[in-house]
Amino acid sequence: MGDLSWKDFLSQAKQFLEISQKLGDNWILEQKDSNEPNTYLKCSQKIKCRGGKDNSAELVSVEYHVVFSVSYQVPMLFFQAHRSDGSLLDVEATWRMFMPESKASDLHQILTQMDHPVLFRPFMALHPCRTAEVLKQFGKPSCNQVLTFISLYGPHVQLHLQNAYGLSQEYT
Amino acid sequence: MAHDREVLRMIWEGQIGICFQADRDEIVGIKPEPFYLMISRLSYLPLVTDKVRKYFSRYISAEHQDGAVWFDFNGTPLRLHYPIGVLYDLLHPEEDSTPWCLTIHFSKFPEDMLVKLNSKELLESHYMSCLKEADVLKHRGLVISAMQKKDHNQLWLGLVNEKFDQFWAVNRRLMEPYGDLESFKNIPLRIYTDDDFTYTQKLISPISVGGQKKSLADLMAELSTPVRRAVGCRTHGIDLHEETQLQWMSEHLSYPDNFLHLSVDYKDV
């Protein structure tokens, strides 16, 4: 279990958002209502992926959400990927495109489809079991766990932050 | 206690009568008779409906034979990863004692609404992630992570094969406070207030600030706001007495995923 409270998540998400705005990045804060955990960070991007059944390159639209987990007290990364024809990538296609090197048996414990905790619609999610442990491994406690989390977990699913995020001295 | 084991047994043996009917838009030729089945409240639709699928698949076209199967009740798609008892308690009118009528579909899976669970492995993966989440709340994840893979398998197979003793031989360890503690750190809870399957989660300790064991009345007070008061609570189809202790509820009235799935009624103040 992590030590990030809901209030800490909110304030750190807002700090992250400020950095994003300064850098001209496209993160936004979505607020469904003021209840926990109904505010989350969101961004979208298009990526070119190889991994269709015929291994052809494909342009995919991905929407990422960073949502607070009440149970684990850590951020979680959710995403949905759509093809250019609007169809949703299913679990197998998502695995092929985003984690082509991983074994299927491992993927069942790493990346699966589950209900988004705010929207209650199907999203792919990186499992949060070890997030708290990973975030604690830093010698110096992170001043912004949301930023640290996105930096560490995002690249596994093609979400990369500009290096400039790390140069914002007041937050790292 | 022996009496408490009887409670576990009764919860385990809870069943729901379901009438499965075909989607008339998918039927080729003669309309099939409905298929009636008694189903465990604790299980999941994909686990217990192989017979139903085989029966109805004879009446649909070849192109839909391999389609992802899903179910609806009066137009509401049912979440395949929710225990059947939870779906029933949320959707089935209380006053209606006839079998629950569900429609089975082999096409047009509503991908934007339902998590797709095409394989038993995906459902098992979902079940294990619920267990881990529950244990993180109760014991900081220490009990589930100390278990071996064969223990996890035994929980899953006990559930799939509806074997009470097999399941509880392992689940017992998840239902004891850790070490010399008297209670869980937090109670794994999912609180439903509407019939749309959304739920609320909160960190709820079973012990009050003054060191007393909390009861359901205490939980309902925590869930109440100045404008909306929690007035009733049910799970497994029964209304719960407000003096019931939360720790006891968690140990004895949880589903096999180790969560208390509670429907809470509110009244505007």
Side-chain angles (χ1 to χ4, degrees):
Chain A
M1 206 179 209
D3 57 5
L4 185 69
S5 68
W6 166 240
K7 283 177 184 171
D8 288 339
F9 173 84
L10 269 185
S11 66
Q12 291 176 29
K14 287 169 184 171
Q15 284 172 5
F16 177 89
L17 189 65
E18 287 174 23
I19 305 174
S20 171
Q21 284 162 350
K22 283 176 189 169
L23 299 177
D25 210 351
N26 69 338
W27 286 86
I28 64 174
L29 199 65
E30 285 278 11
Q31 185 174 18
K32 179 184 165 194
D33 56 49
S34 58
N35 295 319
E36 177 182 1
N38 291 345
T39 299
Y40 56 92
L41 284 164
K42 172 170 118 173
C43 86
S44 299
Q45 65 174 358
K46 283 184 163 51
I47 59 181
K48 184 175 285 188
C49 278
R50 192 170 300 277
K53 279 179 173 147
D54 57 357
N55 208 37
S56 60
E58 202 173 336
L59 198 64
V60 168
S61 235
V62 193
E63 184 173 296
Y64 299 91
H65 294 184
V66 177
V67 188
F68 180 70
S69 168
V70 175
S71 298
Y72 286 92
Q73 302 278 282
V74 296
M76 276 182 74
L77 183 52
F78 290 83
F79 69 94
Q80 257 192 358
H82 287 88
R83 295 184 181 84
S84 45
D85 66 2
S87 62
L88 189 70
L89 260 70
D90 65 15
V91 173
E92 286 82 12
T94 304
W95 284 343
R96 278 196 303 270
M97 289 204 174
F98 286 81
M99 294 192 166
E101 308 301 325
S102 299
K103 289 187 306 184
S105 55
D106 292 335
L107 285 164
H108 280 93
Q109 293 173 75
I110 295 170
L111 179 68
T112 57
Q113 200 183 48
M114 59 179 81
D115 281 328
H116 187 292
V118 180
L119 304 176
F120 291 93
R121 287 194 286 108
F123 270 69
M124 296 301 295
L126 286 169
H127 287 204
C129 316
R130 300 195 55 216
T131 302
E133 189 183 330
V134 169
L135 290 175
K136 275 170 186 162
Q137 278 172 7
F138 286 80
K140 174 190 163 199
S142 167
C143 290
N144 190 311
Q145 291 187 63
V146 171
L147 171 53
T148 303
F149 171 78
I150 298 171
S151 303
L152 286 174
Y153 278 73
H156 293 290
V157 290
Q158 307 292 328
L159 174 61
H160 302 274
L161 296 179
Q162 306 168 35
N163 289 340
Y165 275 91
L167 300 177
S168 304
Q169 290 301 325
E170 64 261 55
Y171 296 129
T172 59
Chain B
M1 293 176 242
H3 172 263
D4 290 341
R5 188 167 174 89
E6 287 301 311
V7 173
L8 296 180
R9 192 88 210 192
M10 277 193 284
I11 295 289
W12 184 267
E13 290 172 359
Q15 287 192 313
I16 291 166
I18 300 186
C19 164
F20 292 93
Q21 58 196 4
D23 177 349
R24 65 187 70 254
D25 292 339
E26 288 176 349
I27 293 303
V28 178
I30 296 176
K31 186 184 173 190
E33 293 294 331
F35 191 106
Y36 291 87
L37 201 59
M38 293 298 290
I39 287 185
S40 169
R41 274 183 155 269
L42 306 183
S43 194
Y44 299 90
L45 282 168
L47 287 184
V48 292
T49 50
D50 273 352
K51 281 183 287 186
V52 184
R53 185 174 50 76
K54 281 167 187 160
Y55 172 74
F56 285 107
S57 66
R58 288 179 283 153
Y59 297 89
I60 62 170
S61 67
E63 70 177 311
H64 292 142
Q65 288 291 324
D66 292 329
V69 173
W70 61 286
F71 305 86
D72 81 77
F73 171 65
N74 282 352
T76 300
L78 301 182
R79 306 216 163 188
L80 303 170
H81 58 296
Y82 278 37
I84 291 162
V86 175
L87 299 172
Y88 180 81
D89 289 343
L90 290 175
L91 287 178
H92 189 266
E94 271 183 55
E95 61 279 2
D96 182 358
S97 58
T98 59
W100 195 24
C101 277
L102 305 184
T103 303
I104 184 173
H105 304 272
F106 291 82
S107 64
K108 300 190 179 79
F109 189 94
E111 289 189 338
D112 58 327
M113 294 177 71
L114 298 186
V115 172
K116 192 182 265 185
L117 294 164
N118 291 4
S119 68
K120 296 272 200 289
E121 288 79 21
L122 283 173
L123 186 52
E124 179 181 358
S125 165
H126 166 81
Y127 172 75
M128 290 310 306
S129 72
C130 288
L131 278 184
K132 289 176 186 174
E133 184 179 346
D135 195 57
V136 159
L137 288 162
K138 292 190 282 185
H139 311 113
R140 295 191 171 279
L142 295 173
V143 177
I144 195 91
S145 57
M147 285 183 178
Q148 296 171 41
K149 178 65 177 169
K150 70 177 172 67
D151 296 319
H152 296 174
N153 286 343
Q154 185 167 331
L155 286 166
W156 176 244
L157 290 175
L159 177 59
V160 169
N161 298 319
E162 300 184 11
K163 296 288 208 309
F164 175 86
D165 292 320
Q166 184 182 351
F167 178 82
W168 273 99
V170 180
N171 201 53
R172 171 180 51 81
R173 290 150 62 186
L174 291 167
M175 287 303 181
E176 293 164 350
Y178 191 72
D180 55 3
L181 298 177
E182 275 191 14
S183 61
F184 299 145
K185 178 173 170 57
N186 291 295
I187 301 290
L189 278 175
R190 290 193 173 170
I191 296 152
Y192 306 83
T193 55
D194 290 308
D195 58 3
D196 63 0
F197 305 122
T198 63
Y199 54 79
T200 298
Q201 284 184 281
K202 278 179 186 286
L203 291 186
I204 302 284
S205 168
I207 301 295
S208 70
V209 175
Q212 305 300 314
K213 287 191 177 178
K214 281 182 192 171
S215 67
L216 182 57
D218 297 309
L219 172 64
M220 292 203 290
E222 284 184 61
L223 297 177
S224 298
T225 67
V227 297
R228 197 175 74 147
R229 191 161 53 92
V231 293
C233 180
R234 56 192 282 122
T235 188
H236 298 292
I238 58 179
D239 290 311
L240 302 177
H241 195 283
E242 67 173 24
E243 289 176 23
T244 318
Q245 285 180 354
L246 292 192
Q247 176 70 28
W248 186 91
M249 281 169 60
S250 189
E251 292 173 14
H252 298 90
L253 302 183
S254 290
Y255 277 76
D257 61 7
N258 280 220
F259 273 86
L260 279 168
H261 293 266
L262 304 178
S263 290
V264 176
D265 285 328
Y266 286 90
K267 183 185 284 184
D268 291 330
V269 178

